[in-house]
Amino acid sequence: MAVTGAILGDIAGSQYEHRRPRDLDYKNCEIFTKDCHYTDDTVMTLAVKKALQHSLDIAETLQELGRKHPGAGFGWNFYEWLFSDNPQPYGSYGNGSAMRASFVGEFFENPEDVAEKAKETAAVSHNHPEGIKGAVVTAMCVHMAIHKKSKEEIYNYVLEQYPPEEYKFSIDKDLEYIRTNYSWSATCMDSVAVAMRCFYESDSYESFIRNVFSFRCDCDTLCAIGGGVAEEFYHGTGFDNETLLKKYLPEDLYQIWKD
C-alpha cells in the first residue's frame, strides 16, 4: 500500500528533519532507530485515508485527527487552521498538501478521479496552485506506479509538471547536483520533484530512503512524498511493516492504517 510507504518514510525521515549530521553515512546507517517517530505527515495521510474510505468531509476529518495529535509537528499556519472554528484555505504552497496525498493515488482507479480528489484534499487548506499541483503530482505518481508505468514514464510526467526552465529543482537535476546545491525547503516546488528524483535513482524502497538521507532537506516529508511511489513500484518496502507501525504509531493511528 502506498500509504504504508508514505508513513514509514515519514517515520524513517523524522530523525533527520532538522538534525542531519554532516558526516552521516547514508549508505549504511540504520533506517529505523530510537530517534524515529511519526509526524504530522503520518497524521494527515491517515486522515485523508479515513475520509476517503468512509466518505467523510475532508476538512472535518483533517481537523478531527489533527486535534488528537497536536504535538505531531504541524506548521504554525496549518496548526491555526486545525483549531479554527471556520477553517478556510489560506493560499499555502507548502509541501503539506503533497505529503498527505498518497492514498488518493491508490484509492481511485480512474486517473481523472485521482487528480480531482487530490485537488480536493489540498484545496481545503493549501489552495495555492503550487500546493494543489504538489498533491496532484504525488497522487498521480502513486497511481502510475500501481498501474505498472515505467520509471521513465513517471519521470516524464513529473518533468512535464515541473519544467526545468520554470523550477530550479525539476526532476532533471540528478542527486549529485542536489547534494551540492539544494537548500532546506518546505515548499511543494522544492520538494515534490526532488522526492521523485530520489525515487528515480533508487533500486528499492530502502535505497529511495537512503537517497533522501543523502542531503539536508525536509527529510520526513520528502520520504513521505516519494515513499508511496517507491512502495508501489517495488511492491513493498522490504521491512516488517506491521511490526514497525505497531512500534511507532499510537493505537488510533494504527487502527486507521489497518482499516
Side-chain angles (χ1 to χ4, degrees), residues 141-151 153-154 232-233 235:
C141 287
V142 167
H143 189 267
M144 293 175 76
I146 290 171
H147 289 270
K148 298 180 170 51
K149 300 299 183 182
S150 68
K151 275 191 179 179
E153 288 174 300
I154 295 172
E232 292 290 359
F233 189 86
H235 307 293

Side-chain angles (χ1 to χ4, degrees), residues 91-141:
S92 177
Y93 48 77
N95 56 21
S97 60
M99 57 78 164
R100 68 192 188 215
S102 57
F103 187 71
V104 182
E106 71 174 86
F107 189 69
F108 294 98
E109 181 67 24
N110 188 304
E112 287 77 19
D113 293 336
V114 171
E116 185 58 36
K117 189 57 69 171
K119 291 178 184 177
E120 290 182 32
T121 66
V124 294
S125 56
H126 293 55
N127 62 331
H128 188 282
E130 292 292 348
I132 290 173
K133 180 188 285 190
V136 171
V137 171
T138 301
M140 287 298 295
C141 287

Side-chain angles (χ1 to χ4, degrees), residues 8 15 19 35 62 68 72 102 116 184 193 236 239 248:
L8 287 180
Q15 61 191 312
R19 53 185 181 275
D35 295 321
L62 294 180
K68 291 179 180 178
S102 57
E116 185 58 36
W184 197 99
F239 296 100
Y248 289 108

Side-chain angles (χ1 to χ4, degrees), residues 11 29 127 174 179 196 211 238 241 247:
I11 293 169
C29 65
N127 62 331
D174 62 22
R179 289 175 190 131
M196 297 312 168
N211 284 343
N241 300 333
K247 176 180 179 179

Side-chain angles (χ1 to χ4, degrees), residues 7-24:
I7 292 171
L8 287 180
D10 171 48
I11 293 169
S14 65
Q15 61 191 312
Y16 298 130
E17 181 179 11
H18 292 294
R19 53 185 181 275
R20 179 189 179 277
R22 290 186 178 275
D23 59 349
L24 177 67

